[in-house]
Amino acid sequence: MKKVTDALTDNSAESEKLIFDPREYFTSLLVDIDQAVNELVLEAYLFKVDEIGKQFIAALSAAAHRGVKIRILVDGVGSYGEAAQIVRQLESKNCQVRIFHPLPWDFTAYRRALVSGSWYSKVLYLIASMNHRNHRKLCLIDAQIAWIGSYNITAGHLNNNLADSQDDWHDTALRVTGPMAFDLRQNFDEVWQRKSASKVRRTLKFLGNNTARARKNKNRRLFAILRGARERIWITNAYFNPSARLVKALKVAAESGVSVQILVPSHSDVLFFPAISRTYYVDLLNAGVRVFEYRTRVLHSKTMLIDNLVLVGSTNLNYRSFFHDLELDALLTSESSVQCLHDKFRLDIQNSVEITPTHNGKYRRVQKLLGYISRFLRYWL
C-alpha cells in the first residue's frame, strides 16, 4: 500500500469527514500520525502485526523518536497473541502500551493491565471481567484531530489484492477536528486512568460508556433519540442481535409512519451472525420495517441516520455493545455529513437484496435452527 506524504489541510478549524474507503482511512491516518507534534493516543480492539500494523508501528516509532508522547491501549482479547510483539517493539521506542483486561492466564500482560494491586487481586479481577472488552477505535493527534469508527488496525479490512478495492470490507470512519477532539482526549484519559466521567466536560458530541453510569446514560440517550424520530431511522450494522427493547422501539417507529430501514450483512466474518439476525426479520417486517441484506462485501460498519442526526462509531446493535463492551460513537448534525451518509445508504441498498416475508421463508431450516439456538446465548454475543 503506497503511503501518501502530502500534508492534509489545516487542522486548526473545526471540520468533519466521513470515510468509507479503508485505503483512504489507513493512508490519511498515517499522514496525521506523521504530523503529530506533542501527543498521540491510539485505542484499538484489534491491532495485528501484519502489513498495515507494521506501517503503524513504524509511524508510531518515528513519532516517539521526534519526542511525541504516545499512549496505546489495545484489548486483551482482540489483540491477543499480537500484544506482546506490539509491546516489545513500541515500549523500546518510549511508547506507553497498556492492555485492557488481559486474559487471566496471560501473566506476562499483568504489568501492563489498567488495574493495580497484587497479582492475585488482578487474577480475581480479570476473571470477573473476562466478558468486558474494549471495542473502541480511537486515535487522537495533539488533542486537535480525532479518528473514530469501525476500523481496526489490520490488513484484514482490505482485499488480499491491494491493487483491487472491490472486495475491501464495508467500514465507516470519521475524521474530526475542533472541540470534539479535545473532549475525546479527556474521555480517553478516563479510560486510561479508570476514572469516572467528568460532569463538567459532559458533551453532546459523542456517546461513550466507559463507566456504569455512562453506559446507562448512553443507552438511555440512544433510545430517546430513536423515540424522537419523525422522518427516518436508517441503520447499517454488522452484528444485528437487538434487545427486545430495541426491537420494540423500531416497531413503534415504523408503525407511526417513520421510515425504518435496516441494512445488515448477508455474510459475515462471524459466520453465525446472519443466522441470528434473520430470526428477527418476521417480527420487524410485520411492523413495516424494511430489511436489506448487503451482498457485495463484508459489512462491518456501525452507523445510523436518524432524521438529521448521524451516529458513527464502534457500537454494534447487539448485547455485547449494550451491556458489556466499551464503545464510542460520534453524533454529527452538519448538513454535509447527513447528506453524505444519506447518499451512502441509498447506494448500499442498491447493492443489497430487500427481504420480504416470502424471501425470508426460503432460508434453509438448518440456518433458522442455528439462529434460534444462538439467541439463547445472545447476552454474550
Side-chain angles (χ1 to χ4, degrees):
M1 178 172 156
K2 186 178 180 180
K3 190 171 176 182
V4 173
T5 56
D6 293 336
L8 296 179
T9 56
D10 177 36
N11 300 316
S12 60
E14 186 171 356
S15 66
E16 58 191 49
K17 180 182 181 182
L18 293 172
I19 296 175
F20 307 108
D21 182 348
R23 297 156 197 272
E24 179 184 359
Y25 169 78
F26 289 127
T27 300
S28 300
L29 178 51
L30 285 167
V31 169
D32 280 347
I33 290 173
D34 286 344
Q35 295 180 347
V37 176
N38 298 311
E39 179 190 59
L40 189 148
V41 302
L42 178 67
E43 195 172 2
Y45 174 70
L46 194 158
F47 191 141
K48 291 186 69 67
V49 186
D50 54 20
E51 179 179 358
I52 293 297
K54 289 176 182 177
Q55 288 190 37
F56 275 83
I57 289 173
L60 293 166
S61 299
H65 182 72
R66 297 195 304 271
V68 178
K69 178 183 177 182
I70 297 177
R71 291 180 291 168
I72 301 166
L73 178 61
V74 298
D75 185 74
V77 168
S79 299
Y80 182 71
E82 308 280 344
Q85 187 174 352
I86 294 168
V87 167
R88 190 164 55 249
Q89 294 190 40
L90 289 176
E91 281 193 339
S92 66
K93 305 297 183 181
N94 295 321
C95 301
Q96 285 185 276
V97 184
R98 296 291 179 266
I99 302 173
F100 185 86
H101 291 178
L103 293 169
W105 54 84
D106 191 5
F107 294 104
T108 59
Y110 277 23
R111 184 168 64 86
R112 299 172 183 87
L114 293 181
V115 59
S116 59
S118 60
W119 70 267
Y120 54 84
S121 67
K122 289 184 179 181
V123 169
L124 295 176
Y125 174 82
L126 293 173
I127 290 174
S129 61
M130 279 181 64
N131 199 37
H132 300 279
R133 311 315 319 167
N134 186 343
H135 192 245
R136 292 158 49 115
K137 289 88 173 169
L138 173 67
C139 186
L140 295 167
I141 294 95
D142 296 329
Q144 296 179 357
I145 306 171
W147 289 83
I148 69 173
S150 61
Y151 289 97
N152 292 294
I153 307 300
T154 172
H157 292 273
L158 301 170
N159 180 352
N160 290 332
N161 180 4
L162 294 183
D164 181 8
S165 63
Q166 293 301 310
D167 293 327
D168 291 345
W169 281 23
H170 183 303
D171 276 286
T172 305
L174 168 70
R175 182 187 188 271
V176 62
T177 65
M180 188 192 301
F182 181 83
D183 290 342
L184 284 167
R185 195 267 192 189
Q186 177 171 309
N187 181 260
F188 175 84
D189 284 345
E190 292 163 359
V191 176
W192 183 268
Q193 299 167 11
R194 299 184 68 238
K195 290 184 176 181
S196 298
S198 169
K199 294 181 180 179
V200 177
R201 295 299 308 173
R202 186 173 297 168
T203 176
L204 301 177
K205 295 182 179 295
F206 63 86
L207 297 174
N209 61 355
N210 47 293
T211 67
R213 181 177 180 182
R215 180 180 300 275
K216 184 177 180 180
N217 289 337
K218 177 180 184 288
N219 293 343
R220 181 190 296 126
R221 191 169 167 200
L222 175 58
F223 282 104
I225 293 171
L226 291 172
R227 287 194 301 270
R230 294 295 177 264
E231 179 184 347
R232 63 190 167 202
I233 300 174
W234 293 358
I235 295 171
T236 300
N237 205 265
Y239 309 114
F240 187 71
N241 181 25
S243 65
R245 184 183 179 191
L246 179 55
V247 171
K248 181 180 179 180
L250 297 176
K251 289 168 60 178
V252 168
E255 290 168 347
S256 67
V258 175
S259 170
V260 181
Q261 301 185 42
I262 302 172
L263 180 68
V264 293
S266 65
H267 59 280
S268 172
D269 61 311
V270 181
L271 295 179
F272 56 83
F273 238 98
I276 298 177
S277 300
R278 287 164 184 162
T279 64
Y280 297 94
Y281 288 176
V282 172
D283 196 19
L284 293 168
L285 292 173
N286 288 339
V289 176
R290 298 180 68 186
V291 179
F292 300 85
E293 284 192 351
Y294 187 71
R295 298 292 176 94
T296 306
R297 296 175 285 158
V298 174
L299 190 155
H300 191 249
S301 292
K302 306 95 168 48
T303 66
M304 293 190 197
L305 180 58
I306 305 173
D307 290 343
N308 291 317
L309 176 69
V310 169
L311 279 79
V312 56
S314 66
T315 299
N316 294 303
L317 296 183
N318 60 8
Y319 281 72
R320 290 212 60 82
S321 289
F322 276 87
F323 300 112
H324 301 302
D325 295 347
L326 299 191
E327 305 286 4
L328 184 64
D329 302 271
L331 302 173
L332 310 175
T333 57
S334 71
E335 184 178 344
S336 59
S337 292
V338 171
Q339 188 64 48
C340 181
L341 192 59
H342 171 278
D343 294 344
K344 177 61 173 172
F345 189 87
R346 295 295 295 271
L347 177 63
D348 285 340
I349 63 175
Q350 292 177 20
N351 294 310
S352 307
V353 172
E354 182 167 7
I355 306 302
T356 65
T358 301
H359 187 106
N360 189 60
K362 294 180 180 179
Y363 293 122
R364 292 183 296 176
R365 290 183 180 180
V366 66
Q367 291 179 312
K368 294 181 179 180
L369 181 61
L370 175 62
Y372 281 105
I373 291 175
S374 299
R375 280 182 67 167
F376 285 107
L377 304 173
R378 62 184 179 272
Y379 190 70
W380 293 273
L381 299 176

